[in-house]
Amino acid sequence: MAARNANCLVCGEPLAYFEQAQPVACAVCGKQETGHSLCVAGHYVCDACHRAQGVGFIMEACRASDAVDPIALASAIMAAKEVYPNGPEHHSLVGAVLLTCYRNAGGTIDLNAALDELRTRSMQVPGGTCGFWGCCGAAMSAGQFCSIIAGATPLTPEPWAATARLASRIMGRLADMGGPRCCKRSSFAAIEEAVGHVADAYGVQMSLPERITCTFMDGNAECLGRDCPFFPA
């Protein structure tokens, strides 16, 4: 596969998106489905192949971690070769690092069971939801985290509301930042909002750096540069 950047995983060429789904075949596994993107050379990579290395790596890194700073943990995982600059593996990463640091900061959960549940839920969120569904996968991942620690279901009034509050808080912030998509920017914002929400709602204080600084700009041609709040000062 091509070098790690936000472009095609097969050849490294830029991706082109289309508004209506079209028949596509994965260049890695051959699966035929409908999708919303091809690289300019005609390659398509399905979500399962995109996530094949990353999600397992994320879960194992979280199970072994004693971190209480989810930004530091997320950044370390993002720097690994198994996690691409953009892609649906971030839909698992956000919730996983939050669950890990919540437990390590004193939250009462069975981390292994929680990560298993988070993986099941997050794997159902496809790539591209930020543009095609109007709800970023990072926000949904944080919502899944909140749902798990709060014990929310469709029939639990306050846990249901707490989960919706966090997801809407994150989406409002992402909308104010604007686009185009950047999984790092969205993940950092979702984590930061979730840490504040959990401290206020549950009294569990995870750590955050004094200033969140992104180090992944070189892998994303669509980086907002100084318009991103996480761009180096």
Side-chain angles (χ1 to χ4, degrees):
M1 286 192 176
R4 291 177 68 249
N5 56 39
N7 296 332
C8 177
L9 301 190
V10 176
C11 68
E13 291 296 318
L15 301 182
Y17 289 90
F18 26 91
E19 295 179 9
Q20 295 184 333
Q22 299 181 14
V24 290
C26 179
V28 178
C29 71
K31 178 182 179 181
Q32 297 191 14
E33 57 185 9
T34 58
H36 287 88
S37 68
L38 291 172
C39 83
V40 296
H43 299 120
Y44 169 78
V45 177
C46 70
D47 280 351
C49 288
H50 208 297
R51 292 191 245 228
Q53 300 181 80
V55 174
F57 176 82
I58 289 164
M59 296 300 161
E60 291 310 307
C62 286
R63 292 183 203 279
S65 176
D66 60 0
V68 294
D69 179 342
I71 294 291
L73 179 56
S75 295
I77 293 172
M78 289 171 177
K81 61 180 176 57
E82 289 83 0
V83 179
Y84 296 107
N86 287 313
E89 51 267 56
H90 294 80
H91 303 170
S92 300
L93 185 148
V94 170
V97 299
L98 286 167
L99 285 169
T100 301
C101 295
Y102 174 81
R103 192 284 304 270
N104 293 341
T108 305
I109 55 168
D110 179 334
L111 182 60
N112 285 326
L115 287 172
D116 287 344
E117 179 63 20
L118 186 281
R119 180 172 185 157
T120 297
R121 297 185 192 188
S122 64
M123 292 288 278
Q124 299 178 58
V125 181
T129 56
C130 55
F132 295 117
W133 287 15
C135 187
C136 175
M140 284 188 265
S141 189
Q144 291 163 4
F145 152 74
C146 186
S147 171
I148 290 168
I149 67 169
T153 75
L155 299 179
T156 52
E158 181 49 37
W160 185 100
T163 301
R165 286 190 196 101
L166 175 58
S168 63
R169 177 171 166 176
I170 294 167
M171 282 308 304
R173 184 172 177 194
L174 295 181
D176 289 341
M177 288 182 187
R181 63 93 173 93
C182 171
C183 289
K184 307 312 187 197
R185 182 179 71 238
S186 297
S187 296
F188 290 152
I191 291 168
E192 187 174 31
E193 294 296 331
V195 169
H197 174 81
V198 166
D200 293 342
Y202 305 109
V204 176
Q205 187 64 64
M206 292 178 268
S207 297
L208 287 174
E210 184 175 343
R211 184 183 187 277
I212 300 173
T213 301
C214 181
T215 60
F216 301 98
M217 301 82 67
D218 291 344
N220 185 11
E222 291 79 42
C223 176
L224 295 179
R226 296 191 181 279
D227 289 332
C228 175
F230 309 122
F231 195 78

